[in-house]
Amino acid sequence: MSLLNLNQPLARFTQWVSGSRQNGASDYDVMYDRTLLWLTFGLAIIGFVMVTSASMPIAQRYTEDPFLFAKRDAIYIGLAFAAALVSIRIPLSFWQKYSPIILMVAIVMLLLVLVVGSSVNGASRWIALGPIRIQPAELSKLALFFYLASYLVRKVDEVRNNFWGFCKPMGVMVVLAVLLLAQPDLGTVVVLFVTTLGVLFLAGAKLWQFLAIIGTGIFAVTLLIITEPYRMKRVASFWKPWDDPFGAGYQLTQSLMAFGRGDIWGQGLGNSIQKLEYLPEAHTDFIFAIIGEELGYFGVVLVLLMVFFVAFRAMQIGRRALEANQRFAGFLACEIGLWFSFQTLVNVGAAAGILPTKGLTLPLISYGGSSLLVMSTALVLLLRIDYETRLANCQAHVRGSR
């Protein structure tokens, strides 16, 4: 067999994995973004492996089953996959049409969690339905982004030319923020605020409006930090964690030690010391520190590159949708890209001591059923947006060739 014959199947396999088109092929040959799909699967697999590794000591202590959280995470991954199979078949027109109803459902759930929600570490954020716990704050992110994309389809000119057109979506965000702060959940509020501002900027709102809103937001966040002693402790520990390494700065100092032990190549999968109940929330909020300790600088860079390319593909998909005059799809894709990247920035920044701790998960990697379900649904929506955009472009090409 000649070298040419060996290279041809390899080239076809590479094109199939990447979703690239051969010369003369049309968009009908590649109807979804395979690179995004493989990146999503890769992050989910890394997340499952790291949750299993990071959660074994604490699971052994509480239940004598070291694989308890791994089993639960596997169930959540299965549910996320089932939800993805359903979501990818739903046209985007459905989400656009029912976005106000979805937003109202999210608001009702945020009100409900204040009444019947279960409390963990002083925060009432979960609604228990038998063995399953739902976190309405995660659902509120997607609900707001559906509504915001639908609003921009109808009022994009008003947003660009009228200050009140800019303030209306911010008002909806403020309503959600008030309900989230009652839990309390400042981290989700910051994510909603930044993502909303980002997509309004992409929609063409004026710069002075941003400066006014950003100034107001900084003032509000500062006021919220000052009025809550536990938030002040977090900020103080973030500035100088080694001044109180066994008190307010304990979590951050343990996280920094995990990164320090990881060095370039890490201690090896399963060989973390900090996960042996030295670092609290090792399998949830601070799982990135365990990645740094076990997989080292190499693992950290790999995960960050994968997250970057997911966010980059999301923005590319959004740009192509907007160019095809599919505004709802385009704005929604950009919102998902901004949300995914900013939440990763906050989680990684908190673990590395760059930002104060906010209690946000690392997308697709941290343990958490609601976060995993909502994030995977958002990425499946990106695949649906890409599919509908390619289909619209193909149909336009066919009509133009007649």
Side-chain angles (χ1 to χ4, degrees):
M1 184 179 293
S2 67
L3 183 61
L4 180 61
N5 291 335
L6 287 173
N7 287 337
Q8 287 177 349
L10 180 61
R12 287 196 295 268
F13 177 75
T14 303
Q15 288 167 345
W16 181 82
V17 169
S18 64
S20 60
R21 292 188 293 273
Q22 301 179 19
N23 293 334
S26 68
D27 277 330
Y28 280 119
D29 298 312
V30 186
M31 291 305 293
Y32 61 94
D33 194 323
R34 288 176 184 154
T35 300
L36 176 62
L37 182 64
W38 294 124
L39 287 171
T40 302
F41 281 146
L43 286 172
I45 292 170
I46 291 173
F48 176 71
V49 171
M50 294 310 304
V51 165
T52 302
S53 176
S55 65
M56 290 178 70
I58 192 171
Q60 178 69 38
R61 176 187 176 188
Y62 286 125
T63 66
E64 297 185 357
D65 180 6
F67 297 102
L68 173 67
F69 291 105
K71 293 174 182 176
R72 290 182 179 178
D73 198 48
I75 293 172
Y76 289 135
I77 290 174
L79 291 174
F81 185 73
L85 293 178
V86 175
S87 300
I88 202 167
R89 296 179 179 274
I90 300 175
L92 293 171
S93 57
F94 173 87
W95 304 110
Q96 182 178 358
K97 180 179 179 181
Y98 293 103
S99 58
I101 297 176
I102 296 172
L103 180 64
M104 290 304 300
V105 170
I107 291 174
V108 170
M109 292 185 69
L110 288 175
L111 289 170
L112 191 62
V113 76
L114 298 177
V115 180
V116 299
S118 57
S119 179
V120 177
N121 296 329
S124 181
R125 300 179 185 175
W126 292 268
I127 297 176
L129 299 175
I132 300 175
R133 293 196 307 170
I134 299 174
Q135 191 173 0
E138 294 293 336
L139 301 176
S140 68
K141 298 174 186 176
L142 205 51
L144 176 63
F145 300 151
F146 282 142
Y147 175 80
L148 186 57
S150 177
Y151 176 84
L152 289 174
V153 171
R154 296 176 283 109
K155 303 288 186 178
V156 66
D157 292 331
E158 187 176 343
V159 168
R160 292 170 179 171
N161 302 315
N162 191 317
F163 181 69
W164 292 112
F166 177 84
C167 287
K168 287 177 184 177
M170 295 301 299
V172 175
M173 192 279 300
V174 168
V175 172
L176 292 176
V178 171
L179 296 175
L180 289 166
L181 289 172
Q183 296 182 9
D185 189 354
L186 180 59
T188 300
V189 172
V190 173
V191 170
L192 294 181
F193 178 75
V194 171
T195 306
T196 301
L197 277 182
V199 75
L200 289 175
F201 178 79
L202 293 175
K206 291 181 173 61
L207 182 61
W208 70 267
Q209 297 171 346
F210 283 96
L211 296 177
I213 295 295
I214 290 172
T216 304
I218 292 174
F219 174 78
V221 170
T222 304
L223 188 64
L224 289 169
I225 291 173
I226 293 174
T227 54
E228 286 289 349
Y230 81 93
R231 289 180 185 142
M232 283 296 297
K233 287 183 179 179
R234 283 187 178 182
V235 173
S237 64
F238 152 70
W239 281 333
K240 296 181 179 180
W242 298 102
D243 287 354
D244 189 11
F246 298 104
Y250 177 78
Q251 199 168 24
L252 180 54
T253 55
Q254 297 299 318
S255 178
L256 293 175
M257 282 191 281
F259 283 113
R261 291 190 74 251
D263 204 19
I264 300 296
W265 301 108
Q267 296 296 316
L269 187 63
N271 293 329
S272 168
I273 297 297
Q274 298 305 117
K275 71 181 181 183
L276 302 177
E277 299 190 57
Y278 291 104
L279 176 61
E281 310 296 339
H283 62 298
T284 55
D285 299 346
F286 280 82
I287 196 169
F288 195 71
I290 305 302
I291 293 174
E293 184 179 6
E294 294 191 350
L295 304 182
Y297 179 78
F298 173 78
V300 165
V301 171
L302 176 64
V303 171
L304 290 180
L305 283 175
M306 293 175 71
V307 171
F308 168 78
F309 280 114
V310 168
F312 181 72
R313 298 295 280 196
M315 301 304 288
Q316 279 188 320
I317 290 170
R319 178 179 58 82
R320 287 198 298 264
L322 291 172
E323 290 175 349
N325 202 31
Q326 295 184 321
R327 289 186 174 183
F328 177 80
F331 287 128
L332 181 60
C334 291
E335 289 167 354
I336 294 172
L338 291 169
W339 166 29
F340 197 87
S341 56
F342 182 74
Q343 183 159 323
T344 301
L345 171 66
V346 174
N347 179 276
V348 172
I354 301 172
L355 296 171
T357 56
K358 284 289 183 292
L360 292 173
T361 59
L362 185 61
L364 297 181
I365 295 180
S366 294
Y367 175 80
S370 297
S371 175
L372 181 60
L373 286 168
V374 172
M375 275 293 181
S376 59
T377 300
L379 293 177
V380 166
L381 287 172
L382 284 177
L383 292 174
R384 180 72 196 193
I385 292 169
D386 186 54
Y387 166 76
E388 292 194 10
T389 302
R390 296 184 190 217
L391 185 61
N393 289 336
C394 288
Q395 291 173 345
H397 178 73
V398 170
R399 286 196 298 268
S401 62
R402 289 178 179 175

